Amino acid sequence: MTEEKTLKISKIEDGIVIDHIKAGSAMEVLSVLKITSRSGFTVSMLMNVRSSNGSLKDIVKIEKKILKKKELDLISMVSPDATINIVEKFAITEKFRVSLPENVEDLIKCQNQNCITNAKEPVKSVFKREKTGSRNNYRCQYCERTMSLEEIRNSIIK
Amino acid sequence: MLTKKSVVSIGDISNDDIFRVFERASSFKQKLSKGEKIKTMDGKIMATLFFEPSTRTRLSFESAMHRLGGGVISVSEPKSSSASKGETLADTIRMASSYSDIIAMRHPMEGAARLASEFSSVPVLNGGDGSGQHPTQTLLDLFTIWEKFKSLDDLNISMVGDLKYGRTVHSLLRALNRFDTTITLISPESLEMPDHILSTLDHPEKVTKGTDINPILEKTDVFYVTRIQKERFVDLNDYAKVIGSYSFDPETVSKMKKNAIIMHPLPRVDEISPDVDRDPRAFYFKQAENGVYVRMALIDMILGGA
């Protein structure tokens, strides 16, 4: 293939490239990172592009962005297979796949409306990961109810 | 060891500690039956904070502390407490823990006791949080079974009724599943044991579900019956049908093993006919009585009484 046919978005100088985002979830990734048109970041987004293994994926490139641990955790819950490329001076200096956190603190709201963390109490929500087969659930450390990844995704994407 | 520990969930108590509680509860039961006075909690104060109505749990906590020679302070009406003025539970607990050596509480929201244990400077005993945990009830339930069968292993246990909202069955199932028991869960489909409880079990293969009590009547050692609340049904005709098929009357009981027992956390309404009360297999009042001995044992072990 020629460069003309494959190059859809120019390379970034400094920032991050979030690759292998579940097809159709790029907007959700931007949403959990709270990046909007008013955030001031230069953002490029590719949706439903073919990856090397033939499946569809989304890609998001954000210039001058540094990801915090909490943001990585949020990305992992929206798109568990995403990879992060850290770019400095047009070169990838670090590349890794996101991983689901074992503990999630003050990041998600317990879906149990009758959980004490949803009352006006001076307390942060705390969840612990539980893996059953291929399924990942998070258990609230207060009410002891579980939330599936899908429920978490629905609760964090506004 | 339970010394200075809060008991919020049955997961906070090891199997070894469960048996230690039983031994001490038995010993207190014997001493009280002989009229002996116990003074291990002399000078100690328990604060009872019940933000939700309770009869048995509150009375037995207070009776337990008095029987140990300790004192009890409490709020007579949750509505008259500072919670109704908008004070957070965290603040109420901080205050109450500075007035007492141990707190027994009940709250309508799940996780309230866990939160309280984080803000309290003294141990917290959970007397029920919403539809969540009720570990002291579980201990007295287990004690009642252990007293009768001298073991918590090799038993067939059937839980019958509202398994969805009944918090006593949630804690009890988790505890029993840690022993070598076979458990059958019998409920209408709309009131089945929730997945968030089933997913915590160490041995889910030992638990089966059903909707009909008849097939298990002859093989069950312990029936744990819970109240099915009318308000859970939109159509009262559905309630009438359900209650009819899950109630214990002399005819149902006649099909049970001679050595089986019927337990109920009480209050019972229509699930167990008063005609069954005199049957030697009716254990629900003995069970309620055991609440005092078990709570005595727990308080005594936590506060380090001799």
Side-chain angles (χ1 to χ4, degrees), chain B residues 81-101:
Chain B
S81 77
S82 50
S84 66
K85 296 172 192 158
E87 186 180 47
T88 61
L89 176 64
D91 282 2
T92 306
I93 291 292
R94 274 194 187 113
M95 174 272 297
S97 66
S98 69
Y99 296 167
S100 59
D101 300 291

Side-chain angles (χ1 to χ4, degrees), chain B:
Chain B
M1 296 299 281
L2 289 169
T3 313
K4 302 286 173 213
K5 257 185 90 174
S6 287
V7 176
V8 172
S9 161
I10 194 65
D12 296 336
I13 311 177
S14 68
N15 287 3
D16 285 349
D17 279 334
I18 286 177
F19 290 113
R20 282 190 199 109
V21 169
F22 292 173
E23 298 293 347
R24 199 165 297 195
S26 279
S27 142
F28 284 145
K29 191 172 183 173
Q30 272 180 11
K31 283 183 180 168
L32 289 177
S33 70
K34 290 181 202 156
E36 280 181 39
K37 287 206 168 161
I38 301 158
K39 289 283 168 204
T40 55
M41 288 298 115
D42 189 21
K44 295 276 200 306
I45 295 172
M46 165 184 271
T48 53
L49 292 171
F50 278 65
F51 299 90
E52 207 182 44
S54 160
T55 310
R56 262 156 303 278
T57 305
R58 182 181 191 142
L59 280 180
S60 72
F61 264 123
E62 296 187 353
S63 168
M65 192 59 175
H66 284 301
R67 290 224 187 271
L68 290 167
V72 176
I73 52 172
S74 63
V75 183
S76 56
E77 264 282 313
K79 280 179 190 158
S80 68
S81 77
S82 50
S84 66
K85 296 172 192 158
E87 186 180 47
T88 61
L89 176 64
D91 282 2
T92 306
I93 291 292
R94 274 194 187 113
M95 174 272 297
S97 66
S98 69
Y99 296 167
S100 59
D101 300 291
I102 192 164
I103 291 173
M105 66 174 286
R106 172 173 288 184
H107 196 279
M109 297 189 82
E110 286 104 53
R114 181 68 66 200
L115 178 141
S117 71
E118 290 172 2
F119 285 90
S120 175
S121 56
V122 299
V124 172
L125 300 176
N126 184 7
D129 58 338
S131 65
Q133 304 294 317
H134 197 352
T136 62
Q137 175 75 40
T138 303
L139 281 176
L140 77 91
D141 293 340
L142 294 174
F143 178 68
T144 306
I145 298 170
W146 176 81
E147 231 189 356
K148 162 78 182 172
F149 295 98
K150 309 294 174 227
S151 168
L152 291 178
D153 292 317
D154 299 321
L155 293 169
N156 275 306
I157 297 173
S158 299
M159 299 187 187
V160 181
D162 177 358
L163 306 183
K164 184 175 182 181
Y165 298 99
R167 61 186 157 208
T168 61
V169 285
H170 297 171
S171 290
L172 183 61
L173 174 63
R174 285 172 61 178
L176 283 171
N177 196 237
R178 284 156 45 176
F179 299 92
D180 192 13
T181 52
T182 305
I183 302 167
T184 313
L185 305 172
I186 305 287
S187 68
E189 276 174 20
S190 59
L191 296 174
E192 274 185 1
M193 184 66 71
D195 282 341
H196 67 86
I197 301 293
L198 293 172
S199 63
T200 61
L201 299 181
D202 296 333
H203 302 286
E205 73 282 358
K206 291 183 191 162
V207 180
T208 50
K209 286 191 205 174
T211 54
D212 183 5
I213 58 170
N214 288 305
I216 48 127
L217 278 176
E218 289 172 19
K219 55 182 178 187
T220 295
D221 300 304
V222 178
F223 289 92
Y224 194 92
V225 186
T226 62
R227 184 162 58 104
I228 295 180
Q229 295 177 47
K230 257 187 205 163
E231 53 270 30
R232 305 286 182 213
F233 292 83
V234 182
D235 186 343
L236 283 184
N237 291 322
D238 288 344
Y239 169 74
K241 264 187 239 163
V242 164
I243 199 71
S245 55
Y246 291 89
S247 59
F248 283 72
D249 55 20
E251 198 197 327
T252 320
V253 173
S254 70
K255 295 175 193 159
M256 285 169 40
K257 277 186 185 177
K258 289 277 171 278
N259 199 35
I261 60 171
I262 307 171
M263 296 171 66
H264 192 300
L266 303 177
R268 54 103 183 251
V269 186
D270 300 318
E271 317 81 55
I272 304 175
S273 156
D275 298 336
V276 175
D277 294 356
R278 288 182 187 282
D279 191 291
R281 290 167 285 188
F283 259 58
Y284 26 94
F285 294 117
K286 283 180 196 163
Q287 181 188 354
E289 182 194 331
N290 281 338
V292 175
Y293 313 125
V294 166
R295 290 183 174 110
M296 282 174 78
L298 201 57
I299 295 166
D300 196 57
M301 287 170 73
I302 290 170
L303 292 186

Side-chain angles (χ1 to χ4, degrees), chain A residues 18-23 25 29 53 55-58 72 74-85 95-100 136 149 153:
Chain A
I18 310 171
D19 199 355
H20 297 285
I21 298 170
K22 198 173 139 197
S25 297
V29 168
N53 67 10
S55 59
L56 293 177
K57 66 176 182 178
D58 288 2
L72 282 170
L74 285 167
I75 294 169
S76 73
M77 287 185 275
V78 170
S79 186
D81 295 323
T83 57
I84 310 289
N85 299 274
K95 181 175 181 171
F96 56 90
R97 194 172 144 176
V98 293
S99 56
L100 286 169
N136 283 286
L149 271 185
R153 203 173 294 139

